[in-house]
Tab-separated table of all heavy atoms in Angstrom:
chain	number	residue	atom	x	y	z
A	119	GLY	N	314.215	-0.738	-41.488
A	119	GLY	CA	313.991	0.345	-42.436
A	119	GLY	C	312.529	0.634	-42.691
A	119	GLY	O	312.194	1.393	-43.599
A	120	GLN	N	311.634	0.071	-41.876
A	120	GLN	CA	310.193	0.246	-42.085
A	120	GLN	C	309.689	1.631	-41.696
A	120	GLN	O	308.599	2.019	-42.100
A	120	GLN	CB	309.413	-0.801	-41.289
A	120	GLN	CG	309.684	-2.218	-41.704
A	120	GLN	CD	308.978	-3.207	-40.788
A	120	GLN	OE1	307.981	-2.882	-40.159
A	120	GLN	NE2	309.492	-4.409	-40.723
A	121	LEU	N	310.480	2.358	-40.884
A	121	LEU	CA	310.019	3.642	-40.362
A	121	LEU	C	310.938	4.765	-40.837
A	121	LEU	O	312.153	4.616	-40.839
A	121	LEU	CB	309.998	3.612	-38.825
A	121	LEU	CG	309.216	2.468	-38.197
A	121	LEU	CD1	309.457	2.442	-36.693
A	121	LEU	CD2	307.739	2.596	-38.505
A	122	ASP	N	310.345	5.900	-41.189
A	122	ASP	CA	311.134	7.059	-41.583
A	122	ASP	C	311.778	7.729	-40.379
A	122	ASP	O	312.901	8.193	-40.440
A	122	ASP	CB	310.264	8.084	-42.320
A	122	ASP	CG	309.812	7.579	-43.678
A	122	ASP	OD1	310.535	6.755	-44.284
A	122	ASP	OD2	308.736	8.006	-44.130
A	123	ASP	N	311.046	7.802	-39.270
A	123	ASP	CA	311.547	8.432	-38.049
A	123	ASP	C	311.359	7.456	-36.899
A	123	ASP	O	310.235	7.023	-36.629
A	123	ASP	CB	310.789	9.730	-37.758
A	123	ASP	CG	311.288	10.431	-36.509
A	123	ASP	OD1	312.500	10.345	-36.211
A	123	ASP	OD2	310.463	11.070	-35.827
A	124	VAL	N	312.443	7.091	-36.254
A	124	VAL	CA	312.367	6.182	-35.123
A	124	VAL	C	312.155	7.019	-33.870
A	124	VAL	O	312.982	7.856	-33.520
A	124	VAL	CB	313.651	5.333	-35.008
A	124	VAL	CG1	313.590	4.445	-33.787
A	124	VAL	CG2	313.829	4.500	-36.265
A	125	VAL	N	311.024	6.802	-33.211
A	125	VAL	CA	310.654	7.547	-32.017
A	125	VAL	C	310.993	6.691	-30.796
A	125	VAL	O	310.411	5.614	-30.618
A	125	VAL	CB	309.139	7.875	-32.025
A	125	VAL	CG1	308.733	8.571	-30.736
A	125	VAL	CG2	308.788	8.722	-33.245
A	126	PRO	N	311.941	7.139	-29.965
A	126	PRO	CA	312.259	6.365	-28.767
A	126	PRO	C	311.017	6.202	-27.885
A	126	PRO	O	310.261	7.158	-27.678
A	126	PRO	CB	313.322	7.213	-28.068
A	126	PRO	CG	313.961	7.997	-29.178
A	126	PRO	CD	312.817	8.309	-30.104
A	127	HIS	N	310.824	4.986	-27.386
A	127	HIS	CA	309.638	4.696	-26.587
A	127	HIS	C	309.824	3.408	-25.789
A	127	HIS	O	310.660	2.583	-26.132
A	127	HIS	CB	308.406	4.582	-27.489
A	127	HIS	CG	308.505	3.461	-28.472
A	127	HIS	ND1	309.248	3.561	-29.639
A	127	HIS	CD2	307.986	2.203	-28.469
A	127	HIS	CE1	309.162	2.416	-30.306
A	127	HIS	NE2	308.419	1.568	-29.608
A	128	LEU	N	309.021	3.263	-24.742
A	128	LEU	CA	308.983	2.060	-23.922
A	128	LEU	C	307.607	1.439	-24.144
A	128	LEU	O	306.599	1.958	-23.655
A	128	LEU	CB	309.201	2.419	-22.452
A	128	LEU	CG	309.444	1.284	-21.471
A	128	LEU	CD1	310.144	1.800	-20.224
A	128	LEU	CD2	308.204	0.512	-21.111
A	129	THR	N	307.562	0.357	-24.894
A	129	THR	CA	306.287	-0.256	-25.266
A	129	THR	C	305.603	-0.883	-24.057
A	129	THR	O	306.227	-1.604	-23.282
A	129	THR	CB	306.493	-1.321	-26.356
A	129	THR	OG1	307.054	-0.682	-27.509
A	129	THR	CG2	305.184	-1.994	-26.742
A	130	ILE	N	304.301	-0.628	-23.958
A	130	ILE	CA	303.463	-1.203	-22.907
A	130	ILE	C	302.507	-2.234	-23.484
A	130	ILE	O	302.312	-3.300	-22.919
A	130	ILE	CB	302.624	-0.099	-22.202
A	130	ILE	CG1	303.523	0.992	-21.646
A	130	ILE	CG2	301.710	-0.705	-21.144
A	130	ILE	CD1	304.507	0.547	-20.594
A	131	ALA	N	301.868	-1.905	-24.606
A	131	ALA	CA	300.843	-2.769	-25.178
A	131	ALA	C	300.943	-2.756	-26.697
A	131	ALA	O	301.241	-1.725	-27.290
A	131	ALA	CB	299.456	-2.293	-24.754
A	132	GLN	N	300.669	-3.921	-27.285
A	132	GLN	CA	300.644	-4.057	-28.743
A	132	GLN	C	299.421	-4.866	-29.141
A	132	GLN	O	299.129	-5.899	-28.541
A	132	GLN	CB	301.880	-4.810	-29.234
A	132	GLN	CG	303.184	-4.151	-28.928
A	132	GLN	CD	304.342	-4.925	-29.517
A	132	GLN	OE1	304.388	-5.154	-30.715
A	132	GLN	NE2	305.277	-5.324	-28.674
A	133	GLY	N	298.720	-4.391	-30.160
A	133	GLY	CA	297.624	-5.153	-30.739
A	133	GLY	C	296.436	-5.359	-29.832
A	133	GLY	O	295.751	-6.372	-29.939
A	134	GLN	N	296.173	-4.417	-28.953
A	134	GLN	CA	295.068	-4.538	-28.005
A	134	GLN	C	293.901	-3.642	-28.411
A	134	GLN	O	294.086	-2.663	-29.128
A	134	GLN	CB	295.537	-4.156	-26.596
A	134	GLN	CG	296.714	-4.956	-26.105
A	134	GLN	CD	296.404	-6.427	-25.970
A	134	GLN	OE1	295.343	-6.806	-25.472
A	134	GLN	NE2	297.321	-7.275	-26.430
A	135	GLY	N	292.723	-3.951	-27.894
A	135	GLY	CA	291.541	-3.139	-28.157
A	135	GLY	C	291.610	-1.801	-27.449
A	135	GLY	O	292.352	-1.615	-26.475
A	136	GLN	N	290.814	-0.869	-27.935
A	136	GLN	CA	290.799	0.501	-27.410
A	136	GLN	C	290.500	0.545	-25.913
A	136	GLN	O	291.156	1.269	-25.175
A	136	GLN	CB	289.765	1.329	-28.189
A	136	GLN	CG	289.737	2.793	-27.829
A	136	GLN	CD	290.959	3.547	-28.321
A	136	GLN	OE1	291.718	3.083	-29.165
A	136	GLN	NE2	291.170	4.721	-27.776
A	137	ALA	N	289.529	-0.216	-25.445
A	137	ALA	CA	289.154	-0.174	-24.027
A	137	ALA	C	290.296	-0.640	-23.138
A	137	ALA	O	290.570	-0.044	-22.086
A	137	ALA	CB	287.908	-1.026	-23.786
A	138	VAL	N	290.992	-1.679	-23.548
A	138	VAL	CA	292.127	-2.201	-22.769
A	138	VAL	C	293.244	-1.165	-22.729
A	138	VAL	O	293.834	-0.903	-21.669
A	138	VAL	CB	292.633	-3.534	-23.364
A	138	VAL	CG1	293.920	-3.981	-22.710
A	138	VAL	CG2	291.568	-4.610	-23.245
A	139	VAL	N	293.541	-0.554	-23.860
A	139	VAL	CA	294.598	0.449	-23.935
A	139	VAL	C	294.255	1.658	-23.068
A	139	VAL	O	295.113	2.182	-22.345
A	139	VAL	CB	294.858	0.856	-25.402
A	139	VAL	CG1	295.749	2.085	-25.490
A	139	VAL	CG2	295.483	-0.305	-26.160
A	140	GLU	N	293.011	2.102	-23.108
A	140	GLU	CA	292.600	3.254	-22.295
A	140	GLU	C	292.710	2.952	-20.805
A	140	GLU	O	293.143	3.802	-20.029
A	140	GLU	CB	291.188	3.694	-22.668
A	140	GLU	CG	291.159	4.390	-24.019
A	140	GLU	CD	289.765	4.765	-24.482
A	140	GLU	OE1	288.778	4.516	-23.737
A	140	GLU	OE2	289.664	5.309	-25.598
A	141	LYS	N	292.347	1.738	-20.398
A	141	LYS	CA	292.470	1.341	-18.988
A	141	LYS	C	293.937	1.323	-18.572
A	141	LYS	O	294.296	1.838	-17.506
A	141	LYS	CB	291.811	-0.016	-18.766
A	141	LYS	CG	291.838	-0.501	-17.326
A	141	LYS	CD	291.015	-1.763	-17.179
A	141	LYS	CE	291.100	-2.452	-15.864
A	141	LYS	NZ	291.036	-1.708	-14.670
A	142	ALA	N	294.781	0.731	-19.396
A	142	ALA	CA	296.219	0.685	-19.091
A	142	ALA	C	296.787	2.096	-19.013
A	142	ALA	O	297.540	2.417	-18.077
A	142	ALA	CB	296.956	-0.133	-20.150
A	143	GLU	N	296.436	2.939	-19.961
A	143	GLU	CA	296.958	4.301	-19.980
A	143	GLU	C	296.542	5.070	-18.730
A	143	GLU	O	297.370	5.755	-18.107
A	143	GLU	CB	296.498	5.039	-21.236
A	143	GLU	CG	297.080	6.429	-21.351
A	143	GLU	CD	296.768	7.100	-22.681
A	143	GLU	OE1	295.939	6.593	-23.454
A	143	GLU	OE2	297.381	8.154	-22.938
A	144	ALA	N	295.281	4.968	-18.322
A	144	ALA	CA	294.819	5.666	-17.121
A	144	ALA	C	295.587	5.198	-15.889
A	144	ALA	O	295.997	6.015	-15.052
A	144	ALA	CB	293.314	5.443	-16.936
A	145	ASP	N	295.816	3.896	-15.790
A	145	ASP	CA	296.566	3.356	-14.657
A	145	ASP	C	298.008	3.860	-14.674
A	145	ASP	O	298.549	4.273	-13.648
A	145	ASP	CB	296.533	1.829	-14.700
A	145	ASP	CG	297.298	1.216	-13.541
A	145	ASP	OD1	296.857	1.381	-12.383
A	145	ASP	OD2	298.340	0.582	-13.793
A	146	LEU	N	298.637	3.841	-15.833
A	146	LEU	CA	300.027	4.290	-15.948
A	146	LEU	C	300.178	5.768	-15.607
A	146	LEU	O	301.106	6.160	-14.894
A	146	LEU	CB	300.551	4.015	-17.354
A	146	LEU	CG	300.704	2.545	-17.725
A	146	LEU	CD1	300.887	2.397	-19.225
A	146	LEU	CD2	301.851	1.911	-16.964
A	147	LEU	N	299.273	6.590	-16.119
A	147	LEU	CA	299.359	8.031	-15.871
A	147	LEU	C	299.309	8.345	-14.381
A	147	LEU	O	299.980	9.267	-13.910
A	147	LEU	CB	298.244	8.768	-16.612
A	147	LEU	CG	298.410	8.838	-18.133
A	147	LEU	CD1	297.161	9.405	-18.793
A	147	LEU	CD2	299.652	9.636	-18.526
A	148	ALA	N	298.556	7.556	-13.620
A	148	ALA	CA	298.470	7.765	-12.173
A	148	ALA	C	299.791	7.457	-11.475
A	148	ALA	O	300.046	7.968	-10.379
A	148	ALA	CB	297.344	6.900	-11.587
A	149	GLY	N	300.638	6.639	-12.098
A	149	GLY	CA	301.907	6.262	-11.487
A	149	GLY	C	303.119	7.009	-11.998
A	149	GLY	O	304.233	6.813	-11.488
A	150	LEU	N	302.937	7.844	-13.012
A	150	LEU	CA	304.064	8.589	-13.579
A	150	LEU	C	304.351	9.821	-12.740
A	150	LEU	O	303.478	10.285	-12.024
A	150	LEU	CB	303.746	8.982	-15.028
A	150	LEU	CG	303.624	7.820	-16.004
A	150	LEU	CD1	303.209	8.330	-17.376
A	150	LEU	CD2	304.923	7.032	-16.092
A	151	PRO	N	305.540	10.360	-12.770
A	151	PRO	CA	306.621	10.052	-13.690
A	151	PRO	C	307.531	8.930	-13.188
A	151	PRO	O	307.560	8.608	-12.004
A	151	PRO	CB	307.413	11.360	-13.751
A	151	PRO	CG	307.279	11.905	-12.355
A	151	PRO	CD	305.861	11.537	-11.940
A	152	VAL	N	308.287	8.398	-14.137
A	152	VAL	CA	309.390	7.486	-13.848
A	152	VAL	C	310.649	8.194	-14.337
A	152	VAL	O	310.683	8.680	-15.465
A	152	VAL	CB	309.215	6.139	-14.593
A	152	VAL	CG1	310.484	5.314	-14.502
A	152	VAL	CG2	308.015	5.371	-14.058
A	153	VAL	N	311.642	8.253	-13.488
A	153	VAL	CA	312.914	8.864	-13.865
A	153	VAL	C	313.957	7.757	-13.904
A	153	VAL	O	314.086	6.982	-12.950
A	153	VAL	CB	313.323	9.982	-12.879
A	153	VAL	CG1	314.678	10.567	-13.261
A	153	VAL	CG2	312.259	11.072	-12.851
A	154	ALA	N	314.660	7.664	-15.021
A	154	ALA	CA	315.629	6.586	-15.226
A	154	ALA	C	317.010	7.153	-15.507
A	154	ALA	O	317.148	8.170	-16.183
A	154	ALA	CB	315.183	5.704	-16.385
A	155	ARG	N	318.006	6.461	-15.011
A	155	ARG	CA	319.403	6.786	-15.323
A	155	ARG	C	319.851	5.823	-16.402
A	155	ARG	O	319.833	4.604	-16.211
A	155	ARG	CB	320.271	6.615	-14.077
A	155	ARG	CG	321.676	7.046	-14.290
A	155	ARG	CD	321.785	8.548	-14.103
A	155	ARG	NE	323.011	9.040	-14.713
A	155	ARG	CZ	323.135	10.228	-15.249
A	155	ARG	NH1	322.133	11.060	-15.255
A	155	ARG	NH2	324.261	10.611	-15.779
A	156	VAL	N	320.228	6.331	-17.546
A	156	VAL	CA	320.673	5.509	-18.670
A	156	VAL	C	322.194	5.432	-18.609
A	156	VAL	O	322.878	6.433	-18.812
A	156	VAL	CB	320.191	6.100	-20.011
A	156	VAL	CG1	320.730	5.291	-21.179
A	156	VAL	CG2	318.667	6.167	-20.036
A	157	SER	N	322.697	4.238	-18.315
A	157	SER	CA	324.142	4.091	-18.132
A	157	SER	C	324.727	2.931	-18.938
A	157	SER	O	325.941	2.727	-18.908
A	157	SER	CB	324.470	3.902	-16.653
A	157	SER	OG	323.810	2.764	-16.150
A	158	ALA	N	323.883	2.182	-19.662
A	158	ALA	CA	324.391	1.049	-20.440
A	158	ALA	C	323.411	0.694	-21.547
A	158	ALA	O	322.222	1.013	-21.486
A	158	ALA	CB	324.605	-0.171	-19.547
A	159	VAL	N	323.945	0.019	-22.551
A	159	VAL	CA	323.146	-0.565	-23.629
A	159	VAL	C	323.418	-2.063	-23.597
A	159	VAL	O	324.568	-2.488	-23.501
A	159	VAL	CB	323.536	0.027	-25.003
A	159	VAL	CG1	322.843	-0.728	-26.145
A	159	VAL	CG2	323.187	1.514	-25.056
A	160	ASP	N	322.350	-2.856	-23.628
A	160	ASP	CA	322.476	-4.310	-23.570
A	160	ASP	C	322.229	-4.938	-24.934
A	160	ASP	O	321.358	-4.482	-25.685
A	160	ASP	CB	321.467	-4.903	-22.589
A	160	ASP	CG	321.762	-4.532	-21.144
A	160	ASP	OD1	322.872	-4.026	-20.864
A	160	ASP	OD2	320.877	-4.740	-20.297
A	161	LEU	N	322.995	-5.975	-25.220
A	161	LEU	CA	322.786	-6.789	-26.408
A	161	LEU	C	321.966	-8.002	-25.996
A	161	LEU	O	322.385	-8.771	-25.129
A	161	LEU	CB	324.130	-7.240	-26.991
A	161	LEU	CG	324.072	-8.254	-28.138
A	161	LEU	CD1	323.411	-7.648	-29.376
A	161	LEU	CD2	325.474	-8.762	-28.457
A	162	LEU	N	320.786	-8.145	-26.585
A	162	LEU	CA	319.941	-9.309	-26.337
A	162	LEU	C	319.962	-10.195	-27.569
A	162	LEU	O	319.999	-9.708	-28.698
A	162	LEU	CB	318.496	-8.900	-26.041
A	162	LEU	CG	318.228	-8.037	-24.818
A	162	LEU	CD1	316.717	-7.894	-24.612
A	162	LEU	CD2	318.881	-8.578	-23.568
Side-chain angles (χ1 to χ4, degrees):
Q120 297 175 24
L121 306 171
D122 292 332
D123 181 33
V124 177
V125 176
H127 62 281
L128 191 158
T129 299
I130 304 298
Q132 299 183 57
Q134 304 297 317
Q136 185 71 15
V138 172
V139 169
E140 287 176 2
K141 182 173 172 44
E143 184 173 11
D145 180 66
L146 293 166
L147 288 172
L150 294 176
V152 169
V153 178
R155 185 83 198 148
V156 176
S157 59
V159 172
D160 292 347
L161 172 65
L162 298 187

